[in-house]
Structures are given as C-alpha cells and as structure tokens.
Amino acid sequence: MNHMRQPASPLGVFKSGPSLGGKVAQYRNKQKIYSQGEPAFTLFYIQHGGVRLSMRSKGQPSAVTAILGVHDFFGEVCLAGYPLRMSTAVAMTASSIRTIRKDKMLQMLRRGNKASNALVSYLLGSLKKYADHVADLLTSNAEQRLARVLLRLAHMEKDGSGPVEIPTVSHQVLAEMVGTTRPRVNLFMNRFRKRGYIHYDGTLIVSRNLRKAL
C-alpha cells in the first residue's frame, strides 16, 4: 500500500477546486452542513473529507441516500429549480467543502466550453448514480452492493489504479446505504480485508481488486 492515491477528479478539466469559484469552509466530524427542507441557493464541492446525505419521509426513519467523497458535488439539484433541500448533509470526518452560488454555477454551465461540458456530464452522471443505487437494491446481493458503494467512494466503478484512500464510514451507515444489517457489513468488510480488497491504516483504503467482488 505504498502507492496510495486520492480519488481522481471525475471532472477532468478541473484540476483544483478554485476553478469552480465560491468559498471554502471547514466542517468538523458529524457537523451538519444543511438540513432537509431548508432553502437551496448553493451547491457544494468536496475538496477533502466526506459527506453523508440522508432523507426523511413523513412517518419514516431517516435513510442514508448517498455517501460522498473527494471531488463529489452535492446539493446540485438546486440547479434544476428545486427551491428546498431534498436531503440533510452531514460531514463524516473533518472536511474542506467549497460552497458555490447557484447563479454563478448556472453562468458557468451556459458558457458551452470544455469546462461547462465537463460539469454537465458530471451532474448528469451523479443523477445516474442515484438511479443505479436504487437498481442495485433490487438486483444485487448485499455483498455486491457494499462493494459498489466503496468503489463509488473511490471513483473506481469502472477504472482506476489503486489503492485509493476514502473517508472512513461506520458500518452502521454502510448498512443503511446497502440495505442490510451491521453484522453482515462487518462480515463482508472482514472478507474484503482478508482478500486484500481493502486495508485499514487509520483510514479506509480501497484497491481496484475490489471489483472482483461484483
């Protein structure tokens, strides 16, 4: 594990967060970034750390809908005209997160250059990820779903040379995301570790070999 790397940015042309504009804020572990139902005037870009999104329906307990890592956006549905936050966002670890105003991002998207095309492609891809997660719940077994969640955090669903450091996520949160129990997640994570697919060294490190579990 001597050649550990950070996840590659799916935005390609953006080599650093400053090219997106906005301001960077620091969040503590478990600090709330925004709550479901609040006005949505901004979106966010993770430069360091990780974020958990959860949603609560009337009369139902809160459910984890996404676990995001470095180079991921969240809150982007405001670009589609949704006036309120559809989920609650909480930092999973100490995180540096760039806040970008909705109107500034819309200006960038309208430019029609390589940068705006990369952003449109990413944002459409993020919507596909949410749809794929729902499909996984219906068609894959729990071990495969867990592997996909970890690979998505590392941006290694289809490619990537590892290993990649990702935010450490509690087994309870992974269980909620995968749709299984915490003991089963414990079992699968130990199995992945014994096979060399993941490694714990203060943080969670994912190898591209985890794709063998799919």
Side-chain angles (χ1 to χ4, degrees), residues 169-180:
V169 185
S170 75
H171 288 190
Q172 180 58 45
V173 169
L174 286 173
E176 293 176 23
M177 188 70 183
V178 170
T180 188

Side-chain angles (χ1 to χ4, degrees), residues 89-158:
V90 177
M92 297 193 304
T93 183
S95 301
S96 298
I97 299 174
R98 185 171 294 274
T99 303
I100 309 159
R101 285 172 47 190
K102 171 185 172 179
D103 58 344
K104 294 296 184 182
M105 180 59 77
L106 288 173
Q107 289 177 13
M108 190 179 300
L109 293 173
R110 294 188 185 110
R111 290 174 185 168
N113 54 23
K114 288 184 178 179
S116 64
N117 290 339
L119 281 167
V120 170
S121 178
Y122 172 86
L123 294 171
L124 290 174
S126 68
L127 294 175
K128 183 179 184 300
K129 286 183 180 179
Y130 294 139
D132 287 346
H133 177 64
V134 174
D136 286 345
L137 291 175
L138 299 174
T139 62
S140 303
N141 64 47
E143 184 174 8
Q144 291 172 325
R145 296 196 300 269
L146 176 60
R148 285 195 176 96
V149 166
L150 297 175
L151 289 168
R152 285 171 187 158
L153 275 174
H155 298 299
M156 295 173 67
E157 300 99 312
K158 296 181 179 179

